Amino acid sequence: MSRAVLGWLGVLFIAAGGTGLWFAGKYAAALSSAGSAVEIDTEYLRPPPAAGDKWLTEFTLTERSGKKFDSASLQGQVYVVSFFFSSCPSTCLQQNQKIREIEREYGPKGVKFLSITCDPEVDSPQRLREYADKLGADKTDWLFLTGDLPYTRRIAGEIYRISMDKREHSERLFVVDKWGNQRGNYVWNQLDRVTALKLELDKLLAETVPPPQPAAEPAASDGTEKPEAAAP
């Protein structure tokens, strides 16, 4: 074999080796980038320092935006609270589609909607953003909240008087007036209950003074229902 041929083979070998190293470097960088992309900041799973042992009347969770949300910030506004989890294959999605329907009618009127996950280890703020985007949920009127599971259980039990556990929740929508009083709860998948909920929202939006006393457990004659245990 001539020296010229050997020389060309040497050049090709070196070039091929350099190209291989370049691709290897790019691949390693891609893996590193992908690994960092899936890392989740679990700070949102920490319960608020003020939680303590005192009976809860307000709560603080993390919104899908990554920002802390305090229910006390809704003073002066009517809002609706619900529980769900994003990996629920059927009923949660149907529930949130019904909420979306109500939100599109009442969000512009000033009603806020709070959807609280009961599967927080899966439902990070990023995951909730993706879920909410698929629903077409308004970022201002409809908040998706996550946080420590034991603390969320306390929110459900101490404030809304329902049982809740991981991936187990009530199918009721809880209506709260401008002064933080619960004024009713409604099953989302019954037409007459949804109609009653809308009538209640209209009434609460028109109120200018607080009711004589909180109605934590409204009578059935008011078109509302008493809380019940969570359903899986």
Side-chain angles (χ1 to χ4, degrees), residues 59 61 79-85 92 95-100 102 112-118 131 135 142-146 152 155-156 160 162 164 169-176 185-188 197:
F59 60 86
L61 290 170
Y79 61 95
V80 178
V81 177
S82 62
F83 295 85
F84 82 109
F85 59 102
C92 288
Q95 171 181 297
N96 283 324
Q97 287 172 337
K98 176 57 66 175
I99 293 173
R100 180 181 62 185
I102 301 169
K112 299 292 185 184
F113 295 80
L114 314 182
S115 292
I116 303 173
T117 180
C118 58
Y131 183 86
L135 276 172
W142 192 354
L143 309 181
F144 287 77
L145 304 170
T146 185
T152 306
I155 294 171
Y160 299 103
I162 56 168
M164 190 219 75
H169 61 89
S170 170
E171 293 188 353
R172 296 179 184 274
L173 310 182
F174 299 86
V175 177
V176 183
N185 59 83
Y186 305 81
V187 179
W188 66 267
L197 181 150

Side-chain angles (χ1 to χ4, degrees), residues 13 38 47 52 54 78 194 205:
F13 179 78
V38 297
K54 185 178 179 181
V78 177
V194 173
L205 286 169

Side-chain angles (χ1 to χ4, degrees), residues 78 80 106 111 175 197-205:
V78 177
V80 178
Y106 282 89
V111 177
V175 177
L197 181 150
K198 291 182 178 181
L199 291 172
E200 186 70 15
L201 291 179
D202 289 332
K203 171 186 172 183
L204 299 186
L205 286 169

Side-chain angles (χ1 to χ4, degrees), residues 29-221:
L31 285 178
S32 176
S33 175
S36 62
V38 297
E39 290 179 1
I40 296 175
D41 183 357
T42 57
E43 179 65 26
Y44 74 92
L45 291 173
R46 292 178 180 270
D53 296 326
K54 185 178 179 181
W55 195 267
L56 296 178
T57 57
E58 299 172 347
F59 60 86
T60 300
L61 290 170
T62 300
E63 212 273 320
R64 72 181 188 265
S65 63
K67 297 179 180 179
K68 291 295 183 182
F69 167 81
D70 191 331
S71 63
S73 67
L74 292 180
Q75 188 72 16
Q77 293 181 284
V78 177
Y79 61 95
V80 178
V81 177
S82 62
F83 295 85
F84 82 109
F85 59 102
S86 69
S87 60
C88 176
S90 56
T91 55
C92 288
L93 180 57
Q94 294 169 6
Q95 171 181 297
N96 283 324
Q97 287 172 337
K98 176 57 66 175
I99 293 173
R100 180 181 62 185
E101 173 190 311
I102 301 169
E103 182 274 325
R104 287 180 176 176
E105 181 178 354
Y106 282 89
K109 297 179 181 180
V111 177
K112 299 292 185 184
F113 295 80
L114 314 182
S115 292
I116 303 173
T117 180
C118 58
D119 190 14
E121 290 185 358
V122 171
D123 289 340
S124 65
Q126 178 179 343
R127 172 132 177 158
L128 291 182
R129 282 197 299 273
E130 295 168 355
Y131 183 86
D133 287 346
K134 289 179 181 178
L135 276 172
D138 185 275
K139 293 181 180 180
T140 302
D141 298 333
W142 192 354
L143 309 181
F144 287 77
L145 304 170
T146 185
D148 176 63
L149 182 60
Y151 178 68
T152 306
R153 284 196 199 100
R154 290 187 60 197
I155 294 171
E158 296 175 22
I159 298 180
Y160 299 103
R161 301 187 181 186
I162 56 168
S163 62
M164 190 219 75
D165 209 338
K166 185 174 182 178
R167 299 188 180 185
E168 296 181 1
H169 61 89
S170 170
E171 293 188 353
R172 296 179 184 274
L173 310 182
F174 299 86
V175 177
V176 183
D177 68 17
K178 298 173 185 177
W179 300 274
N181 303 310
Q182 289 184 60
R183 301 288 288 273
N185 59 83
Y186 305 81
V187 179
W188 66 267
N189 56 1
Q190 295 178 11
L191 180 59
D192 61 333
R193 296 293 87 211
V194 173
T195 299
L197 181 150
K198 291 182 178 181
L199 291 172
E200 186 70 15
L201 291 179
D202 289 332
K203 171 186 172 183
L204 299 186
L205 286 169
E207 286 183 341
T208 57
V209 295
Q213 55 185 335
E217 293 186 8
S221 60

